[in-house]
Amino acid sequence: MARPRITDAVGRAALEQALGDAPASRTDTATAVRYLLELLVERAPGNTVEVRVPPFGAVQCIEGPRHTRGTPPNVIEMDAPTWLALASGRIDWTTAMAGGTVHASGQRADLTGLVPLLLPR
């Protein structure tokens, strides 16, 4: 059974808290991360690249060869603040990669053209 999708109202409210000036709660950060991961899967469905934002979530996305066992050949991993900034448009893919907070391995481990998922306000 599929997990229910985070609604836009709940996701955007959590995102505002997570990106606000005051420190966000762990719950708001987790909800914002998962909401943006869900948006990524909607924008780029597939199973070729695994995007990980530990400890809050991981998804498979982008069309191409399906991965089913062992370590995926295409992995992108980052911390929650980097994912929130990248997916919300506060930083771009090139800047995130250059900053050393994104670890990407594999030929298809690239989110160019897929982020930002939301435009900054």
Side-chain angles (χ1 to χ4, degrees):
M1 180 148 109
R3 231 176 64 184
R5 186 185 178 285
I6 297 168
T7 65
D8 288 332
V10 170
R12 286 182 179 266
L15 187 58
E16 283 186 30
Q17 292 298 312
L19 293 175
D21 293 331
S25 71
R26 181 175 171 85
T27 300
D28 284 333
T29 300
T31 301
V33 165
R34 291 176 185 134
Y35 172 68
L36 292 170
L37 287 171
E38 289 175 359
L39 292 180
L40 176 62
V41 170
E42 286 177 13
R43 178 173 286 180
N47 297 314
T48 298
V49 178
E50 186 165 293
V51 178
R52 301 173 180 168
V53 185
F56 301 115
V59 295
Q60 290 187 354
C61 58
I62 304 176
E63 287 185 20
R66 181 177 179 85
H67 166 76
T68 57
R69 299 180 73 185
T71 301
N74 301 289
V75 176
I76 299 170
E77 187 168 325
M78 67 197 86
D79 61 14
T82 302
W83 171 241
L84 295 172
L86 183 63
S88 67
R90 291 190 172 190
I91 60 171
D92 62 30
W93 178 250
T94 304
T95 303
M97 287 294 295
T101 56
V102 174
H103 305 283
S105 62
Q107 291 180 330
R108 294 173 166 248
D110 188 344
L111 297 179
T112 301
L114 296 173
V115 291
L117 299 166
L118 302 171
L119 296 175
R121 292 184 181 194

